[in-house]
Amino acid sequence: MVSRSYSNLLELAAGGGGGGGGEGPLPSLGRRRIPRVVTASGIVPDLDYSDDDAASAASSSDHSSAHSHAPRERAIIVANQLPIRASRRGGGGGGWEFSWDEDSLLLQLRDSLRAHADRADDMEFVYVGGLRDDVPAAEHDEVAHHLLEGFRCVPTFLPADLRSRFYHGFCKQQLWPLFHYMLPLSPELGGRFDRALWQAYVSVNKIFADKILEVISPDEDYVWVHDYHLMILPTFLRKRFNRVKLGFFLHSPFPSSEIYKTLPVREELLRSLLNADLIGFHTFDYARHFLSCCGRMLGLKYESQRGYIALEYYGRTVTIKILPVGVHLEQLRSVLNLPETGVKVAELLKQFCDQNRLMLLGVDDMDIFKGISLKLLAFEQLLMQHPEWRGRVVLVQIANPARGRGKDVKEVQDESYAMVRRINEAFGQPGYQPVILIDRPLQFYERMAYYVVAECCLVTAVRDGMNLIPYEYVIARQGNEKLDGILGLGPSARKKSMLVVSEFIGCSPSLSGAIRVNPWNIDAVADAMDSALEMPEGEKVLRHEKHHKYVSTHDVGYWANSFLQDLERTCLDHSRRRCWGIGFGLRFRVVALDPNFKKLAVEHLVSAYRRTTTRIILLDYDGTLMPQTSFGKSPSSKTIDMLNSLSRDQNNMVFLVSTKKRSTLEEWFSSCDNLGLAAEHGYFLRLKRDAEWETCVPVTDRSWKQIAEPVMKTYTETTDGSTIEDKETAIVWSYEDADPDFGSCQAKELHDHLESVLANEPVTVKAGLNHVEVKPQGVSKGLVAKRLLSIIRENSLLPDFVLCIGDDRSDEDMFEVITTAAQDNCLSPDAEVFACTVGRKPSKAKYYLDDLADIVRLIQGLANVSDEMHSTMPTPVDAADTALR
């Protein structure tokens, strides 16, 4: 809950704009908590407010309420539409009347949660979303106040034109078809990308974010965003509150990477979803496609953490949740108990069962993805191939109004009506109509009555995110005592049901007893219908019982409770991490790191450099002095000059530590007289240009290469884009130019294969970024640091300055050695140690630099200081250096 003064502060910080159509902030929700603005980093741009200061301020501001009871947990549920029905009083001339929409999933998840003891009364829900009806601007304040006080709902009022471009434009013409695997190959097949519609989508998401700001308590509330209408909302929220507890659930399919990557704003949507803490999908297929897109387009890799799938995104852990939504059991059971339901069931029994007819039931929206026409073709095929069913089987197709609009909806309607007429004309008999198409809106109790009577339910959508029709059908077929009496079933009668479901709907994996079909295969669907009708009663009972057990235990409350528990678990470490916002616009993301992790300031480093006299400088090459993506890996003349300036200072021992071959390093740095080189992870070490190469570990037998190389060649031949690099002491298989998924899969296989065949050899097999490497045991870059410290210590000297810069996992060994060196008495007691990684990411280093430009500025600064301080007088390190050489 945000007070008016707090909202004004946000508006001032953002430069004015209040969002949401210009109306003022909403009234308080009546809770005692006031958001502690200073504790949420990133609210006010350019405000440098430390975590310690924030904690102190928070402690002070909360002192007066320290003895009050702990607040209830609160979830802010955000969706395109509120779970509210609105109507005008007096035929349109009066005020507004509002009521809960009992069919809304958002309301059902709240009510169903009460069946779970651990969430019974502990969580308060606030809803943020739009209304189906247009509310005049003059009535915005009154309606907003009424909905907030009476329903805990915060409405987002959108201008009619903006709402049309947002919902019917970008959502329904571009995202929805693409997510259902329809590419806009022509203007008739889905909408071509329209930048103006995309801008409308962004604008609406921003308005939703502004509305959430009016009610959120960022340190305590959980925000749960629903579906593809609000996919970039996480970026706006994360930008305002770096530590917001944010979950997102996608209720539609997520397409394969081959489909998704055609979207021009593909990265913006992916990066925005990754600004959530928990991302939910109905099935593993949808999650797998999302993870594949993250890998192929953003270079991210996922891993399993104690049963949870997680992505590391700039130090934040983004968890993937896979769990299909369920039905609201109490609502379904209450509808089954209604008197009108029993009356309708009796009516349908008289219409069908008393006429010795079996009902096949389809319940679908009238849109292009529900496969109504394919279902009708399959039913026609059934009647053609199995004449015995003519006059006995009736297909009742309930066609709900389409949620979208356009030419494709009209085409589906026309095609369906034409096919129904054709089938009825071909197979109809006096008193028998093979297909009954119901295209009027049905009351829910009527639909439940059809479920009760139907012998089999057919759900043959060509693509659907979830589809709860099969779940509703199973609950309806379980029935109750009242319906059993109407159906003529005894108390001990075992219930039965049959389902024919498409492979391409989200509920299919959870219905293992259903007959799964490819809806495009008309013959197979017709055969499935026949199998469902012919199946022995005992088997129908067993299949029903299996389905009923799952559906009744995995209801919408189970789903919501599981999601909120995982969101809470994922957000546990928010307060323990330091957060920074980086990036502009929709590329904004938050870096979350250890509180002791700091950016290395050039001024601080130079000051320590001037004060000290015995210095060790260790520099990685690839990714540190040279970009990883660079085609030309040789150093520039500027890099050579900087390294020469540093290494000429007789107080310094400067080493370039690389995975490259020693011959390559000799060629590249031939003009650097005093630069030390470490090749192949430090296996070879050279103290200066004219010195001999030495080995940091004893030379081993390299006959193992004769085993490893043929294995790697096999994988190279079968993995397009992969290469082998043969070094003196190691051999590397790289797949950076291969397909990322296939390359990663092959790398895992190769890693296991090499470990097996080299089990008795003195080598280690390591998988790195886009490569698998085999090298002698004990070889690492940490050896270089240990060796240098040993050399100086043998000459009775202790370094008082150590700088180590690297960018990847192989450099972590050096960081670990130099940070623990003081404990081993290898450094001066007052030594300055700077272990620095490249980029803000989890590391053993204490410091970081953002990129190559930062590193160049830092090294150049030290080189300039060395030039200023250069002296020809021999120093203790110089004497030791002379003795060593």
Side-chain angles (χ1 to χ4, degrees), residues 71-282:
R72 296 167 63 192
E73 285 185 319
R74 188 171 72 168
I76 300 176
I77 309 297
V78 190
N80 177 46
Q81 290 187 342
L82 291 171
I84 293 291
R85 295 186 187 274
S87 60
R88 280 286 195 183
R89 296 194 193 98
W96 290 90
E97 290 184 347
F98 299 101
S99 61
W100 289 113
D101 181 0
E102 300 293 338
D103 295 332
S104 171
L105 174 69
L106 307 183
L107 181 65
Q108 292 174 3
L109 71 86
R110 184 200 70 178
D111 294 342
S112 188
L113 270 175
R114 292 172 180 166
H116 296 265
D118 51 343
R119 294 277 178 185
D121 298 309
D122 296 336
M123 180 162 278
E124 176 186 354
F125 288 88
V126 176
Y127 294 99
V128 177
L131 292 169
R132 294 177 176 84
D133 303 85
D134 289 324
V135 177
E139 300 178 79
H140 283 183
D141 288 345
E142 178 186 352
V143 169
H145 180 84
H146 180 71
L147 288 176
L148 186 60
E149 295 298 327
F151 295 89
R152 290 293 188 264
C153 290
V154 180
T156 55
F157 300 113
L158 303 177
D161 176 61
L162 178 62
R163 183 171 67 179
S164 178
R165 286 184 287 122
F166 158 71
Y167 183 74
H168 294 293
F170 193 77
C171 289
K172 283 299 181 182
Q173 290 181 24
Q174 297 183 2
L175 280 184
W176 189 72
L178 187 78
F179 278 25
H180 289 75
Y181 287 75
M182 176 181 284
L183 290 174
L185 300 176
S186 68
E188 292 78 21
L189 297 175
R192 295 279 175 84
F193 181 78
D194 186 330
R195 183 67 59 175
L197 297 182
W198 163 246
Q199 290 170 350
Y201 184 81
V202 173
S203 298
V204 170
N205 276 250
K206 177 65 167 59
I207 291 172
F208 271 77
D210 291 338
K211 284 298 178 183
I212 295 170
L213 293 180
E214 295 177 3
V215 295
I216 190 173
S217 182
D219 293 334
E220 297 162 353
D221 292 343
Y222 294 91
V223 181
W224 187 358
V225 181
H226 289 262
D227 223 0
Y228 63 93
H229 314 91
L230 302 171
M231 288 178 72
I232 60 172
L233 180 56
T235 287
F236 291 121
L237 293 179
R238 187 69 63 188
K239 192 170 186 178
R240 295 296 185 96
F241 306 111
N242 290 169
R243 294 185 179 89
V244 64
K245 302 169 184 176
L246 179 58
F248 180 93
F249 198 95
L250 184 66
H251 294 272
S252 77
F254 195 94
S256 71
S257 61
E258 291 301 306
I259 298 293
Y260 180 79
K261 71 181 181 182
T262 63
L263 187 64
V265 290
R266 60 192 189 183
E267 285 197 19
E268 288 87 337
L269 292 178
L270 284 181
R271 290 188 185 278
S272 184
L273 289 179
L274 290 170
N275 276 324
D277 296 295
L278 179 65
I279 306 173
F281 299 93
H282 287 305

Side-chain angles (χ1 to χ4, degrees), residues 674-745:
N674 297 313
L675 178 66
L677 298 175
E680 301 192 20
H681 291 285
Y683 187 90
F684 295 109
L685 183 66
R686 192 183 73 176
L687 299 177
K688 60 184 297 185
R689 188 177 67 174
D690 297 331
E692 294 292 328
W693 285 93
E694 62 175 278
T695 58
C696 291
V697 294
V699 177
T700 60
D701 179 15
R702 295 169 192 165
S703 60
W704 55 266
K705 282 190 174 185
Q706 298 173 11
I707 304 173
E709 189 170 9
V711 175
M712 287 188 174
K713 282 183 177 179
T714 300
Y715 285 81
T716 303
E717 291 169 359
T718 57
T719 312
D720 189 33
S722 63
T723 58
I724 297 175
E725 182 183 4
D726 189 3
K727 303 177 182 179
E728 289 183 67
T729 62
I731 185 168
V732 181
W733 184 80
S734 172
Y735 62 96
E736 60 184 349
D737 295 325
D739 177 272
D741 285 343
F742 184 57
S744 176
C745 179

Side-chain angles (χ1 to χ4, degrees), residues 35-52:
R36 298 186 290 275
V37 179
V38 294
T39 65
S41 62
I43 297 178
V44 183
D46 304 322
L47 179 61
D48 185 12
Y49 205 86
S50 71
D51 288 356
D52 292 340

Side-chain angles (χ1 to χ4, degrees), residues 577-883:
R577 310 301 293 272
R578 294 185 66 198
C579 296
W580 294 269
I582 61 174
F584 297 98
L586 295 178
R587 290 183 173 269
F588 175 86
R589 61 268 189 201
V590 166
V591 177
L593 299 169
D594 187 272
N596 297 320
F597 198 54
K598 303 175 183 177
K599 184 168 184 177
L600 183 55
V602 176
E603 298 80 8
H604 178 45
L605 184 71
V606 168
S607 175
Y609 188 84
R610 290 182 181 276
R611 292 195 305 269
T612 53
T613 58
T614 307
R615 311 184 193 102
I616 295 179
I617 300 174
L618 302 170
L619 303 173
D620 174 47
Y621 186 70
D622 285 329
T624 302
L625 296 180
M626 178 63 61
Q628 286 279 12
T629 55
S630 176
F631 282 99
K633 296 289 188 178
S634 59
S636 65
S637 57
K638 183 178 180 180
T639 301
I640 296 292
D641 291 342
M642 287 191 305
L643 293 175
N644 270 328
S645 295
L646 276 180
S647 57
R648 276 198 301 265
D649 190 328
Q650 297 178 6
N651 292 316
N652 297 342
M653 295 185 71
V654 183
F655 271 80
L656 192 71
V657 186
S658 174
T659 60
K660 300 293 184 187
K661 298 178 182 179
R662 54 180 174 175
S663 59
T664 302
L665 297 181
E666 284 177 338
E667 177 186 350
W668 286 352
F669 299 99
S670 59
S671 61
C672 298
D673 291 342
N674 297 313
L675 178 66
L677 298 175
E680 301 192 20
H681 291 285
Y683 187 90
F684 295 109
L685 183 66
R686 192 183 73 176
L687 299 177
K688 60 184 297 185
R689 188 177 67 174
D690 297 331
E692 294 292 328
W693 285 93
E694 62 175 278
T695 58
C696 291
V697 294
V699 177
T700 60
D701 179 15
R702 295 169 192 165
S703 60
W704 55 266
K705 282 190 174 185
Q706 298 173 11
I707 304 173
E709 189 170 9
V711 175
M712 287 188 174
K713 282 183 177 179
T714 300
Y715 285 81
T716 303
E717 291 169 359
T718 57
T719 312
D720 189 33
S722 63
T723 58
I724 297 175
E725 182 183 4
D726 189 3
K727 303 177 182 179
E728 289 183 67
T729 62
I731 185 168
V732 181
W733 184 80
S734 172
Y735 62 96
E736 60 184 349
D737 295 325
D739 177 272
D741 285 343
F742 184 57
S744 176
C745 179
Q746 290 288 80
K748 291 176 183 176
E749 289 291 329
L750 175 60
H751 183 276
D752 293 343
H753 194 164
L754 289 171
E755 281 196 330
S756 175
V757 298
L758 298 173
N760 297 322
E761 301 294 333
V763 294
T764 58
V765 182
K766 287 199 173 182
L769 181 62
N770 297 327
H771 73 267
V772 176
E773 182 175 21
V774 184
K775 61 182 181 179
Q777 290 177 349
V779 175
S780 73
K781 290 185 179 180
L783 289 175
V784 179
K786 289 181 179 179
R787 177 64 177 146
L788 292 180
L789 292 171
S790 175
I791 290 173
I792 295 181
R793 190 174 182 183
E794 288 170 2
N795 287 271
S796 302
L797 297 171
L798 292 177
D800 52 7
F801 178 98
V802 181
L803 171 64
C804 180
I805 306 177
D807 75 302
D808 62 21
R809 291 182 180 179
S810 65
D811 301 308
E812 297 293 319
D813 295 325
M814 289 195 294
F815 299 153
E816 185 175 12
V817 169
I818 67 169
T819 53
T820 59
Q823 303 171 7
D824 300 331
N825 299 319
C826 295
L827 301 180
S828 172
D830 56 350
E832 303 272 7
V833 178
F834 301 92
C836 180
T837 190
V838 182
R840 308 182 194 187
K841 58 178 181 287
S843 172
K844 295 176 183 177
K846 189 176 180 179
Y847 299 94
Y848 71 90
L849 291 170
D850 285 326
D851 49 32
L852 182 63
D854 275 357
I855 297 170
V856 170
R857 281 193 293 269
L858 183 140
I859 300 298
Q860 186 63 64
L862 296 183
N864 293 338
V865 172
S866 288
D867 290 340
E868 294 172 10
M869 299 172 60
H870 183 67
S871 171
T872 58
M873 292 293 293
T875 64
V877 173
D878 183 44
D881 186 54
T882 301

